[in-house]
């Protein structure tokens, strides 16, 4: 938990006035002290005040202190609070201390036995036993090794990706645990990341594995895919992780569910996107507020460190811009670090760093190093693994390497080490190493070799020149380095403004401008219609019919057409992405319908470009769909200040009248309430 | 008599402390002991360590014996007069419990019944003398027994003694050996250098020395012992190691493994593993020591 006052808050528990006084005088000016004089008070204050540390002295009768220590250590909240046991051994009452039998069962971060000769020396005594120092080391122990590694400029952070398998007791899980143990012993890896239902297939849950990894002393990084969990499930998973002390998460959209689910393809959830997930995390970090029994409750803040993904390796201007605009929103939402998608073009990796620099975003980037064998490369080359880019040239090189006696293993590791060097040289904060059947020794090899190469990274860039045919780069090429200048390149994309788009724009400007006279005139009518159930239903029906014909509307009631240039993200995007494209698009096609349907964000970009408005794409964060509004008229919801657009524009709901969604509850209540 | 033959042959013996329950549910004790029965040479059943009430060591030893394990029954002078002590010794031997370890017993003030009357009717050396006598077929009053017991006797030695105290300790050790003591268990040992004065002067051939290897479970516990038990020295570096450990539990067991391994290399008689509540970690530790 973050300290708010800047000073550590320490709860002092003890029944002896001498003890409380001694602590008060010797520590009072350094920390904020809270006092509890008996077991009950101690326990309840530890729970409600959540101090940074607890000093547990003697409590009457003998043995009580030990009992309380047990309860604190067993408590859900209190087990996370550093506990320091203090025996103030007064000569006239030697028994007022822990017995050695109790001490054998002591589970405390430290113990102090203090014999006061004279009161004046007490504070010195306290210092001499290093009490304050101990408290502060305990406090800093809560620091996050991954976060420290990412933020420390002298450390190049390395994370190693593990892929849990399907099943509870399979070899894949054993491998993961073995790798973690090796990594923990080796000491070169800052975190182990565990993918979340990789490839959209069910697998042992990342949160379970990560909690296990945490216990083994390694820092885990939980992948959190928005594919299989709705916002409540995400929140609840996060609470579980917080309680286990797992704080690092990587928020991503997730591949589309695979058809290998039980009895067929599972329902894709995609309730909230990564942008809103990061917002959720940040809200939790500040202390999430909610209503319980009509009272405002503020939850204890969590301490998550959330990163996001981005792919600079996209081919089309539209695709790439959809990535960068979404990244912008992720950063604004509070993302703390970035991990890139799989790609091997050094200029593209540099482009991301340059883009961040030009936009003055100070956020660390971790470069993805996927140790690429020939087979996987062929798959990636043909869009077999969503979002991973391997060009023909690279495949050809790998085909050559695969002919070697070791089937190209040493060449793969060498390539990975070179990417490591390039990433480090370019100014990435770390590397995210992944690959199938990788051992710790290989990872360590990459690190060692990579470090060797780093001083010479610029000469390696030429080896990683893998442009896609007609691929778009955000910046002009820097011919000296083979990387990028900071001059934005001219767009190559052909705009396209279909008739329906032109029509929708006009209709929108006329009907949905909150400052127009039309709006002011129609709003009272909207209010009235809202109270006439039949008319309301008719309007809803009409709206749905028209919008279904024009946009494939699903009648979500929280319309985001306007946010995506009138391409409905709820019905036309299989992942319901309301804030920008997922990472899976391929040459402009949707991940789920390659060569069939264009990604909605690609379409939106083309449309906006027809009006020279492409830079407005993703200007603001779109809130997740409010399912309160499901199957209601979005027009009414806009006019009556209920949908996300109304909220953004500051359209207030009219004076509290029972809303459509509260129909059931409200009629029930008023029926009873009426005299 | 696995313990005796191990020590007689000069092999490294593993003793594991198994505290009887406070109560009558012996299932945990039995389960913990059973799990390592192949690897442990004998289980030391303490006689109310730290004067905290528990099932008697005779009872605890008997239960382990019944399950086919070899116990070492501890016997302290604190709670019984000469009649009761002799009676229990006879009972133990008759039930097949032949390993005993004679101790003085901590002050009742340390325990959970500090109003209890400490007995100390006879002192440790006298008790050892009695054990010898019983084995010769006589009780303390010189009256003949029908059938005499057989014991393999151990006791304790303070390896941390220095200077004058060390002289006395060595003197007492000799006396104990004269009274038939064949192995000595030391207080918890973490650092061989700390008992250097003792090691320099003791004649290790006369009695096998089995240091206690105590499992430290938390920094708090370690500091308590270091601060309040003058027979034990815990190096600061070790405490720091615990403090900085990423996986504390693992580090704790690792320290035990390292200490016990050193003892073996240094030719001690064995190691007395005291796991104070974490007996379920014994298999892991024994594995580490290579037993
Ligand atoms: S439409 Fe775009 S954002 Fe949606 S799933 Fe397809 S590729 Fe991803």
């Amino acid at each position: 938990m973050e300290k708010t006052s800047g000073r550590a808050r320490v709860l002092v528990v003890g029944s002896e006035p001498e003890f409380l006084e001694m602590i008060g005088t010797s520590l009072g000016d350094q920390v904020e002290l809270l006092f509890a004089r008996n077991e009950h008070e101690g326990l309840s204050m530890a729970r409600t005040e959540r101090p940074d540390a607890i000093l547990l002295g003697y409590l009457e009768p003998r043995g009580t202190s030990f009992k309380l220590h047990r309860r604190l250590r067993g408590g859900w909240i209190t087990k996370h609070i550093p506990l320091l046991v203090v025996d103030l051994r007064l000569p006239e009452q030697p028994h007022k201390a822990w017995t050695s039998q109790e001490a054998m069962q002591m589970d405390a971060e430290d113990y102090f036995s203090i014999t006061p000769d004279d009161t004046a020396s007490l504070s010195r005594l306290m210092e001499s036993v290093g009490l304050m120092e101990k408290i502060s080391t305990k406090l800093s122990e809560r620091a996050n090794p991954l976060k420290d590694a990412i933020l420390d400029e002298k450390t190049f952070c390395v994370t190693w990706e593990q892929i849990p398998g399907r099943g509870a007791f399979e070899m894949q899980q054993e491998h993961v645990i073995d790798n973690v143990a090796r990594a923990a012993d080796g000491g070169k890896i800052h975190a182990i990341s565990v993918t979340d239902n990789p490839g959209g297939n069910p697998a042992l849950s990342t949160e379970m594995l990560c909690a296990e990894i945490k216990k083994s002393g390694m820092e885990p990084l939980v992948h959190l895919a928005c594919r299989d969990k709705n916002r409540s499930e995400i929140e609840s998973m996060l609470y579980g992780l917080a309680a286990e002390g797992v704080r690092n998460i990587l928020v991503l959209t997730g591949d589309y569910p695979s058809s290998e689910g039980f009895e067929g393809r599972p329902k894709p959830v995609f309730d909230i996107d990564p942008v809103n997930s990061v917002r959720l995390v940040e809200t939790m970090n500040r202390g999430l507020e909610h209503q319980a029994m009509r009272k405002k409750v503020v939850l204890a803040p969590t301490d998550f460190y959330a990163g996001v993904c981005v792919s600079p390796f996209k081919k089309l201007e539209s695709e790439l811009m959809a990535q960068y605009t979404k990244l912008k929103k992720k950063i604004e939402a509070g993302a703390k670090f970035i991990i890139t998608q799989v790609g091997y073009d050094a200029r593209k990796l540099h482009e991301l760093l340059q883009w961040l620099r030009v936009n003055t975003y100070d956020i660390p980037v971790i470069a993805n190093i996927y140790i690429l064998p020939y087979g996987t490369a062929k798959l990636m080359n043909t869009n077999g693994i969503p979002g991973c880019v391997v060009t023909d040239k690279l495949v050809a090189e790998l085909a050559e390497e695969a002919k070697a006696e070791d089937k190209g293993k040493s060449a793969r590791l060498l390539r990975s080490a070179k990417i490591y060097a390039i990433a480090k040289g370019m100014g990435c904060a770390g590397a995210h190493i992944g690959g199938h059947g990788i051992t710790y020794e290989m990872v360590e090899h990459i690190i060692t070799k990579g470090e060797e190469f780093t001083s010479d990274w610029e000469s390696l860039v030429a080896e990683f020149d893998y442009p896609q045919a007609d691929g778009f780069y955000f910046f002009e090429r820097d011919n000296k380095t083979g990387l990028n200048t900071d001059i934005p390149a001219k767009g190559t994309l052909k705009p396209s403004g279909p008739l329906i788009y032109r029509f929708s724009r006009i209709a929108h400007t006329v009907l949905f401008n909150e400052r127009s006279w039309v709006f002011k005139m129609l709003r009272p009518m909207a209010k009235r219609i809202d109270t006439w159930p039949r008319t309301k239903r008719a309007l809803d029906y009409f709206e749905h019919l028209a919008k279904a014909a024009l946009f494939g509307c699903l009648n979500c009631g929280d319309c985001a057409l306007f946010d995506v240039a009138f391409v409905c993200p709820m019905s036309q995007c299989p992942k319901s992405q309301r804030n920008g494209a997922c990472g899976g698009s391929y040459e402009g096609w949707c991940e789920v319908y390659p060569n069939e349907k264009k990604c909605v964000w690609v379409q939106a970009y083309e449309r906006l470009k027809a009006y020279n408005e492409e830079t407005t794409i993703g200007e603001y964060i779109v809130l997740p769909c409010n399912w309160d509004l499901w199957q209601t008229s979005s027009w009414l919801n806009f006019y009556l200040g209920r949908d996300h657009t109304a909220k953004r524009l500051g359209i207030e709901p009219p004076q509290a009248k029972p809303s459509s969604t509260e129909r059931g509850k409200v009629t029930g209540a008023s029926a009873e309430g009426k005299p | 008599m696995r313990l005796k033959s191990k020590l007689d042959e000069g092999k490294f013996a593993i003793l594991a402390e198994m505290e009887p329950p406070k109560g009558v549910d012996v299932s945990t004790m039995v389960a913990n002991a059973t799990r390592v029965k192949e690897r442990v040479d004998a289980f030391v059943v303490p006689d109310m360590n730290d004067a905290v009430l528990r099932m008697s060591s005779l009872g605890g030893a008997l239960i382990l014996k019944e399950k086919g394990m070899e116990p070492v029954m501890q016997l302290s002078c604190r709670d019984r007069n000469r009649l009761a002590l002799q009676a229990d010794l006879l009972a133990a031997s008759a039930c097949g419990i032949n390993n005993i370890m004679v101790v003085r017993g901590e002050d009742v003030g340390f325990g959970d019944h500090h109003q209890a009357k400490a007995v100390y009717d006879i002192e440790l050396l006298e008790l050892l003398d009695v054990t010898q006598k019983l084995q010769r077929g006589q009780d303390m009053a010189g009256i003949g027994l029908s059938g005499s017991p057989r014991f393999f006797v151990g006791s304790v030695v303070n390896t941390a003694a220095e200077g004058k105290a060390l002289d006395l300790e060595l003197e007492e050790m000799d006396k104990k050996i004269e009274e038939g003591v064949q192995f000595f268990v030391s207080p918890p040992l973490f650092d061989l250098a700390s008992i250097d004065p003792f090691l320099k002067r003791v004649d290790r051939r006369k009695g096998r020395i089995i240091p206690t290897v105590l499992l430290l479970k938390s920094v708090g516990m370690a500091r308590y012992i270091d601060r309040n038990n003058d027979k034990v020295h815990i190096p600061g570096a070790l405490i720091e190691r615990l403090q900085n450990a990423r996986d504390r539990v693992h580090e704790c067991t690792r320290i035990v493994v390292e200490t016990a391994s050193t003892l073996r290399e240094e030719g001690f008689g064995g190691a007395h593993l005291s796991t104070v509540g974490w007996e379920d970690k014994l298999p892991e530790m024994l594995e580490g020591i290579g037993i």
Side-chain angles (χ1 to χ4, degrees):
Chain A
M1 212 180 308
E2 217 122 320
K3 282 175 279 165
T4 41
S5 66
R7 289 209 307 172
R9 293 166 74 240
V10 177
L11 173 64
V12 186
V13 192
S15 57
E16 305 306 290
E18 295 93 335
F19 170 71
L20 299 178
E21 207 185 293
M22 176 196 81
I23 300 289
T25 46
S26 45
L27 288 180
D29 358 310
Q30 297 160 61
V31 291
E32 191 182 327
L33 293 174
L34 309 161
F35 292 99
R37 286 166 184 81
N38 56 49
E39 184 188 4
H40 173 77
E41 230 174 66
L43 189 64
S44 70
M45 283 176 79
R47 287 173 176 168
T48 52
E49 299 290 337
R50 301 158 194 276
D52 294 308
I54 300 173
L55 283 191
L56 179 56
Y58 177 79
L59 284 169
E60 277 297 354
R62 201 175 187 196
T64 311
S65 219
F66 177 70
K67 239 171 65 201
L68 177 59
H69 134 276
R70 276 257 155 116
R71 297 190 68 182
L72 290 171
R73 279 288 114 131
W76 186 257
I77 300 171
T78 53
K79 72 176 168 199
H80 297 288
I81 306 174
L83 180 64
L84 315 178
V85 173
V86 185
D87 274 339
L88 174 60
R89 293 195 184 254
L90 298 169
E92 61 281 11
Q93 303 163 316
H95 73 279
K96 290 194 171 179
W98 279 45
T99 68
S100 56
Q101 185 80 16
E102 288 170 348
M104 291 302 135
Q105 310 305 330
M106 185 193 297
D107 182 7
E109 272 74 20
D110 217 330
Y111 166 84
F112 301 92
S113 171
I114 298 161
T115 340
D117 306 304
D118 59 312
T119 38
S121 69
L122 273 178
S123 61
R124 263 184 297 130
L125 210 57
M126 292 294 279
E127 257 170 271
S128 75
V129 293
L131 188 54
M132 271 327 295
E133 199 192 320
K134 286 288 144 353
I135 293 178
S136 59
T137 42
K138 261 348 275 182
L139 292 177
S140 66
E141 243 186 47
R142 294 178 179 192
N144 179 342
L146 175 65
K147 181 174 166 184
D148 294 349
I150 292 179
L151 294 181
D152 178 17
E153 288 188 0
K154 283 189 230 75
T155 311
F156 190 64
C157 169
V158 181
T159 55
W160 184 14
E161 184 172 287
Q162 300 295 320
I163 301 174
R166 191 171 187 169
F169 310 105
E170 309 300 323
M171 270 320 284
Q172 184 66 20
Q173 275 73 294
E174 200 78 75
H175 288 320
V176 172
I177 294 299
D178 277 352
N179 288 346
V180 170
R182 289 288 296 114
D185 284 344
K188 293 236 160 118
I189 308 271
H190 298 99
I192 292 279
S193 87
V194 181
T195 55
D196 183 4
N197 290 349
N201 291 299
L204 187 72
S205 70
T206 167
E207 59 267 36
M208 288 277 185
L209 262 176
C210 284
E212 204 57 36
I213 292 171
K214 177 81 193 174
K215 279 187 209 133
S216 77
M218 199 61 217
E219 196 59 32
L221 169 60
V222 183
H223 288 220
L224 168 55
C226 302
R227 164 195 50 232
D228 304 312
K229 299 178 178 76
N230 72 5
R231 64 196 86 178
S232 296
E233 185 60 28
I234 291 176
E235 194 181 316
S236 111
M237 165 184 164
L238 289 171
Y239 291 132
L241 289 174
E244 292 285 348
V246 177
R247 292 156 300 178
N248 301 310
I249 44 180
L250 180 66
V251 183
L252 24 83
T253 314
D255 299 343
Y256 198 65
S258 106
S259 54
E260 296 300 313
F262 169 68
E263 302 282 21
R265 200 187 290 270
K267 181 172 184 191
V269 179
F270 300 107
D271 177 35
I272 55 175
D273 56 37
V275 175
N276 282 302
S277 298
V278 172
R279 286 184 57 235
L280 169 63
V281 169
E282 282 302 301
T283 312
M284 287 169 66
N285 279 349
R286 286 190 301 268
L288 185 130
E289 283 178 23
H290 69 110
Q291 297 280 330
M293 317 277 263
R294 303 216 180 140
K295 266 202 218 108
K296 191 174 97 177
V297 180
V298 184
L299 301 177
T302 53
D303 189 16
F304 286 111
Y305 188 63
V308 292
C309 292
V310 73
S311 176
F313 304 102
K314 293 294 178 196
K315 181 171 168 176
L316 305 187
E317 176 194 339
S318 48
E319 266 181 301
L320 188 69
M321 294 321 295
Q323 287 293 317
Y324 284 149
T325 40
K326 192 174 192 178
L327 179 62
K328 181 177 137 254
K329 292 189 199 181
K330 288 172 178 171
I331 297 170
E332 277 160 15
K336 299 293 188 293
F337 62 95
I338 298 168
I339 296 187
T340 59
Q341 252 288 18
V342 176
Y344 296 86
D345 188 8
R347 188 177 158 201
K348 272 291 180 187
L349 180 59
H350 182 257
E351 176 192 289
L352 170 63
L353 298 176
Q354 193 77 314
W355 183 86
L356 290 168
R357 222 165 311 171
V358 165
N359 285 288
T360 63
Y361 289 126
D362 185 15
I363 179 168
V365 173
I366 297 179
N368 201 326
I369 303 181
Y370 188 87
I371 306 170
L372 186 65
Y374 180 46
T376 317
K378 278 194 291 185
L379 202 64
M380 288 180 177
N381 180 245
T382 50
N383 191 28
I385 303 177
C388 303
V389 179
V390 172
T391 59
D392 298 344
K393 181 179 157 203
L394 179 53
V395 175
E397 286 171 22
L398 283 162
E400 271 313 302
E401 289 168 12
K403 289 181 191 148
E405 215 167 289
D406 65 353
K407 300 215 169 73
K409 181 179 158 190
S410 50
R412 291 202 270 289
L413 296 182
L414 188 66
R415 173 173 294 105
S416 305
K418 287 176 180 171
I419 306 178
Y420 179 104
I422 291 175
K424 187 169 177 186
M426 258 181 205
C428 288
H432 179 75
I433 299 178
H436 216 77
I438 302 305
T439 63
Y440 176 73
E441 285 64 34
M442 296 185 202
V443 176
E444 208 173 273
H445 177 79
I446 294 173
I447 298 173
T448 322
K449 279 273 156 222
E451 289 292 335
E452 280 171 27
F453 291 148
T454 301
S455 56
D456 218 14
W457 72 275
E458 279 160 312
S459 67
L460 297 171
V461 168
E463 290 180 41
F464 291 86
D465 182 23
Y466 295 115
Q468 301 179 67
D470 300 324
F472 176 75
Y473 289 86
F474 191 89
F475 297 103
E476 295 288 356
R477 187 182 150 98
D478 182 343
N479 291 326
K480 268 211 305 285
T481 58
L483 299 171
N484 305 285
T485 62
D486 53 9
I487 306 159
K490 282 222 168 47
T492 49
L493 187 97
K494 268 216 311 296
S496 125
L499 202 61
I500 177 171
Y501 176 53
R502 293 172 194 276
F503 159 76
S504 306
R505 280 178 68 105
I506 299 169
H508 188 88
T509 326
V510 174
L511 289 169
F512 300 99
N513 176 356
E514 80 285 9
R515 279 188 294 256
S516 72
W517 60 268
V518 182
F519 180 86
K520 285 183 187 122
M521 197 184 71
L522 288 179
R523 181 153 144 120
M525 192 141 86
K527 264 195 252 179
R528 239 166 297 142
I529 294 175
D530 201 39
T531 59
W532 299 331
R534 273 214 219 140
T535 327
K536 194 161 131 175
R537 230 172 300 139
L539 177 69
D540 178 31
Y541 185 69
F542 172 73
E543 179 189 335
H544 184 201
L545 217 59
K547 278 166 56 179
L550 293 172
F551 310 106
C553 171
L554 285 179
N555 209 11
C556 73
D558 200 356
C559 188
L561 271 173
F562 175 71
D563 307 312
V564 197
F566 299 96
V567 191
C568 170
M570 303 304 284
S571 64
Q572 304 307 303
C573 169
K575 298 189 191 172
S576 309
Q577 293 302 297
R578 291 157 72 102
N579 273 305
C582 75
S585 68
Y586 172 66
E587 301 191 348
W589 300 109
C590 170
E591 169 192 322
V592 187
Y593 304 104
N595 305 313
E596 221 177 285
K597 260 181 156 178
K598 271 195 198 168
C599 168
V600 295
W601 287 93
V602 166
Q603 293 178 51
Y605 188 83
E606 288 171 352
R607 289 178 171 196
L608 287 164
K609 196 156 181 179
Y611 288 84
N612 289 325
E613 284 176 4
E614 70 273 23
T615 49
T616 65
I617 193 172
E619 256 180 340
Y620 47 85
I621 292 176
V622 180
L623 300 186
C625 179
N626 180 358
W627 287 76
D628 250 354
L629 308 177
W630 177 243
Q631 305 287 303
T632 60
S633 159
S634 78
W635 295 342
L636 269 191
N637 293 335
F638 173 82
Y639 268 85
L640 300 177
R642 290 194 287 245
D643 75 350
H644 72 277
T645 308
K647 277 184 200 149
R648 175 167 61 82
L649 300 174
I651 300 171
E652 293 286 329
Q655 284 313 306
K657 279 260 172 70
S659 79
S660 63
T661 50
E662 286 184 323
R663 259 182 316 241
K665 288 175 252 167
V666 174
T667 40
S670 57
E672 277 165 41
K674 258 180 200 151
Chain B
M1 296 278 284
R2 188 162 150 183
L3 177 63
K4 183 175 180 335
S5 53
K6 263 260 168 105
L7 290 177
D8 286 351
E9 287 165 26
K11 286 194 187 142
F12 192 72
I14 292 285
L15 295 179
E17 189 175 63
M18 261 318 136
E19 266 195 304
K22 191 179 182 102
V24 294
D25 179 2
V26 294
S27 55
T28 316
M29 174 182 74
V30 170
N32 284 332
T34 310
R35 224 173 289 147
V36 290
K37 76 189 243 195
E38 310 298 333
R39 307 195 210 175
V40 168
D41 296 307
F43 293 94
V44 175
V45 186
D47 186 4
M48 290 188 270
N49 257 350
D50 292 314
V52 170
L53 175 85
R54 286 174 175 276
M55 176 187 289
S56 74
S57 57
L58 178 58
L62 210 53
I63 283 160
L64 294 181
K65 173 91 199 164
E66 269 173 14
K67 304 279 175 202
M69 286 167 263
E70 187 168 322
V72 177
M73 181 180 91
Q74 244 189 33
L75 201 63
S76 97
C77 310
R78 179 190 55 220
D79 309 315
R80 275 162 290 189
N81 64 13
R82 62 193 76 192
L83 278 171
L85 285 168
Q86 292 180 85
D88 281 353
L89 278 169
L90 293 179
S93 182
C95 295
I97 296 164
N98 303 92
N99 300 323
I100 58 170
M101 188 174 143
V102 180
V103 299
R104 188 176 178 276
E106 298 82 359
D107 269 341
V108 287
F110 285 115
D112 59 352
H113 288 61
H114 54 102
Q115 308 89 336
K117 181 167 196 279
V119 180
Y120 299 117
D121 178 20
I122 49 176
E123 279 298 329
L124 204 146
L125 283 173
E126 285 175 283
L127 177 54
L128 284 171
D129 188 45
V130 173
T131 351
Q132 292 298 92
K133 256 191 162 154
L134 290 177
Q135 296 193 68
R136 289 195 301 268
Q138 270 191 357
D139 69 9
M140 205 176 165
I143 301 164
L145 304 172
S146 64
S148 41
R150 279 281 154 267
F151 293 118
F152 183 59
V153 187
S155 188
V156 284
V157 62
N158 180 13
T159 44
E162 278 176 59
K164 258 254 150 42
L166 180 56
D167 297 340
L168 293 173
E169 193 66 38
L170 291 171
E171 216 173 282
E172 186 170 298
M173 202 177 158
D174 282 337
K175 282 191 200 146
K176 283 176 177 168
I177 292 169
E178 268 167 44
E179 294 290 6
V181 171
Q182 307 197 38
F183 66 95
F184 290 90
V185 173
S186 84
L189 183 62
F190 293 95
D191 159 27
L192 277 186
S194 71
I195 60 163
D196 213 40
F198 174 84
L199 290 178
K200 281 219 177 86
R201 290 184 50 193
V202 73
D203 182 355
R204 282 208 240 164
R205 278 162 312 180
K206 285 197 271 176
R208 303 287 280 162
I209 293 167
I210 306 181
T212 296
V213 181
L214 175 67
L215 175 70
L216 295 175
K217 300 193 290 187
S218 72
V219 175
M221 171 188 173
R223 277 233 213 270
Y224 181 98
I225 296 170
D226 188 46
R227 171 95 191 181
N228 296 317
N229 189 335
D230 44 10
K231 291 183 188 162
V232 186
H233 167 69
I234 304 182
L238 198 67
I239 294 184
E240 225 162 85
R241 204 175 131 187
L242 272 184
Q243 220 152 22
N244 300 331
R246 291 217 266 181
D247 181 352
R248 180 165 54 92
V249 175
H250 185 65
E251 204 63 34
C252 293
T253 56
R254 206 135 86 174
I255 291 172
V256 169
V257 170
E258 285 168 18
T259 317
S261 306
T262 316
L263 295 180
R264 180 146 72 162
E265 280 158 27
E266 295 291 322
F268 281 87
H272 170 234
L273 305 181
S274 173
T275 41
V276 285
W278 283 8
E279 284 72 29
D280 56 333
K281 307 256 176 323
L282 273 169
E284 181 182 333
M285 287 182 242
L286 292 166
E287 185 105 19
I289 305 168
I291 304 287

